[in-house]
Amino acid sequence: MTTESKPGTRNGLSPLLGAMASGAVAVLVLVLVAALVDGRPAVVGAASGGVVTLVVFTLGIAVVGLVARLVPTASLLVALMTYTLQLLVLALVVSAIGRADLGADTLSRGWFAAGVIAVTLLWLVGQVVAATRQRIPVYDTSGSDELAAHPGGER
């Protein structure tokens, strides 16, 4: 028993939109909770941590998607390099915030970290859910007889 794939569901935009939507929801919920619990420094921390993470992840997945469409053979290398660059950018932002003269009355570092963590977790969940809903088959079941000409499967 098999289920047919829906036509038109195989574009690279769906996982990006799913991940962005779930990350944006994480930022909004965290900012609302921060406003209710701690006030302005918590809101600034949660919003800046969430937005920075959302921007870094969005740019990263957009680059990987573009490379996968243009040069599919280089997509794994670009994905690994993009992941490394994303970690580096986030580390540099955290380092810059640590060196900046921002007091606890301006930005809450704990809420900044909560923003980064919440967006990261919900980004991953959104991306996995959106990618699994695309129903991309693992095997080509179109019935091609490409292997029939090669007894034993040799090429």
Side-chain angles (χ1 to χ4, degrees):
M1 180 192 300
T2 62
T3 306
E4 291 294 322
S5 295
K6 298 175 188 172
T9 59
R10 295 183 190 175
N11 61 14
L13 199 58
S14 178
L16 175 62
L17 290 178
M20 282 176 47
S22 60
V25 166
V27 171
L28 291 176
V29 168
L30 201 61
V31 165
L32 287 175
V33 170
L36 293 174
V37 173
D38 264 350
R40 188 178 188 284
V43 170
V44 171
S48 59
V51 168
V52 165
T53 306
L54 199 58
V55 167
V56 167
F57 284 177
T58 301
L59 291 175
I61 199 167
V63 167
V64 171
L66 178 68
V67 170
R69 276 193 304 278
L70 296 177
V71 189
T73 56
S75 60
L76 180 61
L77 175 65
V78 171
L80 291 172
M81 289 173 50
T82 302
Y83 176 72
T84 305
L85 184 62
Q86 287 173 331
L87 290 177
L88 181 65
V89 166
L90 285 175
L92 288 173
V93 168
V94 169
S95 175
I97 288 174
R99 284 183 297 187
D101 201 18
L102 297 174
D105 57 337
T106 305
L107 180 132
S108 171
R109 290 189 175 114
W111 282 100
F112 180 89
V116 171
I117 292 168
V119 168
T120 300
L121 291 177
L122 283 176
W123 176 275
L124 291 174
V125 168
Q127 194 172 15
V128 167
V129 167
T132 55
R133 287 186 179 170
Q134 282 189 314
R135 302 184 51 87
I136 300 172
V138 176
Y139 301 102
D140 181 19
T141 58
S142 63
S144 89
D145 293 330
E146 181 181 320
L147 294 177
H150 304 287
E154 300 94 18
R155 292 186 178 211

